Amino acid sequence: MLSTTNVGVQNSGTQYLPSGDENPSPNQQLLPLTARVNNRDSLEIGGCDVTTLVQQFGSPLYIVDEETLRAACRQYRDAFTRYYSGESQVLYASKAWSCLAVCAIARQEGLGIDVVSGGELYTAVNAGVSPDKIYFHGNNKSRQELQMAVETGCTIVVDNWLELQTLAEMTQDNSNKPTRIMLRVTPGIECHTHEYIRTGHLDSKFGFDPNQLEEVFAYLSKHTFLNCIGLHAHIGSQIFERQPHQDLGGVMVDWLAKAATYGLTCSELNIGGGLGIRYTESDDPPSIDEWVKVVSESVANACQARQIDLPKLLSEPGRSLVGTACVTAYTIGSQKVIPEMRTYLAIDGGMSDNPRPITYGSVYRTVVANRMSAPLTETVTIAGKHCESGDILIKNATLPKTEPGDTLVVMATGAYNYSMASNYNRLPRPAAVLVSNGEPNLILQRETYQDLIRQDRLPERLI
Ligand code: LLP
């Protein structure tokens, strides 16, 4: 029987197995919480052998561990109950991975959903999420999306003047049923993450600038059919620091106090998402529990200092809920050895199923699922199959010796992989399976070639 812990094993894929702590924070692991090595030296997730899953469902394959996703949802929920004495609500930022099954799990765990488009709203509603737990964000919602949001009855997080005025015009006759809105504020808080995923600094395309806010409050005090229930801010993503969220509490509570002077009862405060996850051994994010403690205490202390009631505290994590729950399994194919330079090992997917390395320079770790204990003797660069030199998933990965047909698993791919996937080079997007207690359930069917041409139209004269 092979070891299922990482103690003393530093030379194989087993080093990435979960820590064995009693209640590990999913965002601090590399592999899902149920990851084990079975007696075939194969990686098992949710009680399913990963190589068998690939035989059954093909590759590339997103494999989602239900237990890890649910554990993350529960840890957020329980931590707010522990550290925040007011009401709280965790919303799943569905942009991280929007599909029916993932939204339904979030719903079952008592979470609400944050959506940023008509498509995400449609998905959340169809996953059975109650509109009073849906919050609609976005810096340029179309009229049609706003109409859809109003009709659905979700809360609209208003981002700018145009949107506010459009909504006012759209809903002025609904004064018997005021539309619930929140205001997104640019809080002017810097954090150290990739510039593309930073949003809280003043030079950001999102939200009202602080110096516009009083004018907005004054406007809302005269347009009471828009029911402004609170304020929102999100400062960025993949954040490991504690300080920015600590500062955010004080800044936002100040604005709540200011809104009250305009007669607005803003009883909800949404402090966004942003908690980072571990993609490599050197990543050291705070645990979910610690992050919740920081934001809860910061808001509670700020309220106490200003003598105002605790707002209902909302947060909207995405990456730290779903990121570690998923791995992507690929089949290893061709190899190109350039002597004294580099060995490229190609897999059957790439930038179309995981655009994060080429977009943000993101770094991932990998294991060979059917050789979990083999010694790591090779240094190779994992190349995707797209016609693009930059389509490299991992530079200088250390792997055991592999053969074509082996199963390569890239870890922590749950967040912003499927949701940003494309059909570049007309590759069908992968299937996804949800695994739990040895049972795989298909949650996304693999696209087919017919799917790829479904929206194509061939004008008569080209036939
Ligand atoms: N709330 C708002 C308003 C957001 O814009 C985001 C993420 C979240 C919540 C969730 O943040 P999280 O907890 O996932 O950090 N595509 C990029 C990430 C973009 C994040 C966009 N906004 C990536 O792959 O790293």
Side-chain angles (χ1 to χ4, degrees):
M1 188 66 184
L2 286 142
S3 162
T4 58
T5 70
N6 64 355
V7 183
V9 187
Q10 290 304 323
N11 64 341
S12 70
T14 55
Q15 68 184 295
Y16 298 124
L17 290 174
S19 57
D21 295 352
E22 203 172 298
N23 195 18
S25 191
N27 72 317
Q28 295 181 321
Q29 313 297 319
L30 273 156
L31 276 167
L33 301 181
T34 61
R36 304 275 180 275
V37 178
N38 65 22
N39 55 13
R40 293 198 288 164
D41 199 23
S42 256
L43 177 63
E44 232 177 63
I45 295 175
C48 297
D49 185 313
V50 167
T51 46
T52 311
L53 290 174
V54 167
Q55 282 157 12
Q56 202 177 341
F57 296 97
S59 65
L61 182 66
Y62 298 117
I63 302 170
V64 184
D65 181 39
E66 187 166 341
E67 189 175 316
T68 306
L69 176 55
R70 288 188 186 273
C73 294
R74 276 183 219 137
Q75 287 189 12
Y76 266 106
R77 220 185 43 205
D78 294 350
F80 274 107
T81 309
R82 191 169 319 127
Y83 299 118
Y84 193 68
S85 56
E87 224 189 313
S88 61
Q89 176 67 60
V90 181
L91 311 174
Y92 165 52
S94 67
K95 59 186 74 78
W97 183 328
S98 172
C99 73
L100 293 179
V102 173
C103 290
I105 290 173
R107 164 179 57 77
Q108 283 187 343
E109 291 297 336
L111 273 58
I113 303 268
D114 133 22
V115 300
V116 292
S117 67
E120 286 186 0
L121 175 58
Y122 186 79
T123 307
V125 168
N126 279 281
V129 184
S130 161
D132 53 289
K133 281 191 169 178
I134 302 180
Y135 290 72
F136 194 151
H137 295 279
N139 69 317
N140 192 24
K141 303 174 189 80
S142 67
R143 258 194 106 82
Q144 192 198 12
E145 285 175 322
L146 288 173
Q147 195 65 49
M148 184 177 170
V150 169
E151 280 162 20
T152 309
C154 64
T155 303
I156 301 171
V157 184
V158 176
D159 196 273
N160 53 62
W161 272 113
L162 174 66
E163 187 180 334
L164 193 58
Q165 284 155 349
T166 310
L167 266 180
E169 175 213 314
M170 230 176 226
T171 61
Q172 57 193 341
D173 299 330
N174 305 354
S175 46
N176 53 342
K177 193 172 173 274
T179 300
R180 273 193 320 276
I181 65 164
M182 292 181 87
L183 299 175
R184 179 162 182 170
V185 180
T186 318
I189 287 177
E190 303 276 343
C191 55
H192 298 101
T193 188
H194 194 288
E195 69 168 305
Y196 291 2
I197 54 179
R198 235 187 284 155
T199 51
H201 55 306
L202 290 176
D203 181 7
S204 161
K205 70 172 182 172
F206 297 105
F208 287 99
D209 194 81
N211 64 31
Q212 293 177 311
L213 268 183
E214 290 206 49
E215 209 183 322
V216 177
F217 292 157
Y219 180 91
L220 285 173
S221 65
K222 294 196 209 91
H223 294 73
T224 49
F225 50 90
L226 290 171
N227 176 17
C228 182
I229 60 168
L231 302 180
H232 167 276
H234 169 78
I235 57 178
S237 196
Q238 184 60 0
I239 301 171
F240 290 178
E241 303 155 287
R242 281 81 172 157
Q243 196 63 44
H245 279 99
Q246 218 157 8
D247 297 344
L248 183 62
V251 171
M252 295 306 287
V253 169
D254 276 343
W255 283 115
L256 285 181
K258 184 57 93 180
T261 66
Y262 285 82
L264 304 175
T265 32
C266 287
S267 57
E268 297 194 8
L269 173 60
N270 187 333
I271 38 83
L275 171 61
I277 67 167
R278 173 170 287 183
Y279 286 104
T280 72
E281 316 75 274
S282 57
D283 288 339
D284 190 19
S287 66
I288 291 174
D289 192 83
E290 188 191 345
W291 188 85
V292 171
K293 187 166 189 275
V294 167
V295 299
S296 299
E297 287 177 354
S298 124
V299 171
N301 292 341
C303 287
Q304 199 180 25
R306 291 154 187 84
Q307 307 247 295
I308 66 169
D309 291 341
L310 287 182
K312 176 173 175 180
L313 185 53
L314 283 80
S315 61
E316 46 192 25
R319 190 190 310 268
S320 51
L321 283 173
V322 77
T324 317
C326 176
V327 302
T328 309
Y330 301 94
T331 300
I332 292 176
S334 64
Q335 177 174 320
K336 175 176 177 182
V337 182
I338 311 172
E340 284 160 49
M341 193 170 279
R342 191 181 291 283
T343 297
Y344 287 99
L345 198 59
I347 40 114
D348 54 356
M351 60 186 283
S352 58
D353 61 75
N354 183 358
R356 298 192 70 257
I358 199 166
T359 312
Y360 312 111
S362 308
V363 180
Y364 283 87
R365 290 290 186 256
T366 183
V367 296
V368 179
N370 53 315
R371 301 177 193 277
M372 286 297 284
S373 308
L376 302 175
T377 52
E378 321 287 304
T379 301
V380 298
T381 287
I382 311 291
K385 64 175 280 157
H386 292 274
C387 288
E388 178 124 352
S389 296
D391 178 28
I392 299 294
L393 274 195
I394 306 172
K395 279 190 191 138
N396 302 324
T398 40
L399 291 188
K401 213 167 170 38
T402 58
E403 282 173 21
D406 281 351
T407 305
L408 188 96
V409 158
V410 175
M411 295 174 269
T413 56
Y416 306 107
N417 277 225
Y418 167 69
S419 61
M420 291 171 65
S422 75
N423 292 121
Y424 184 41
N425 294 152
R426 288 238 143 166
L427 260 65
R429 279 179 300 173
V433 282
L434 182 71
V435 290
S436 176
N437 294 321
E439 199 190 311
N441 285 117
L442 194 63
I443 58 169
L444 285 170
Q445 216 165 331
R446 185 175 302 284
E447 283 180 341
T448 62
Y449 292 142
Q450 290 92 319
D451 290 331
L452 294 175
I453 60 167
R454 178 153 298 137
Q455 304 300 338
D456 289 15
R457 296 292 178 268
L458 198 54
E460 197 75 9
R461 63 189 174 78
L462 298 182
I463 296 173

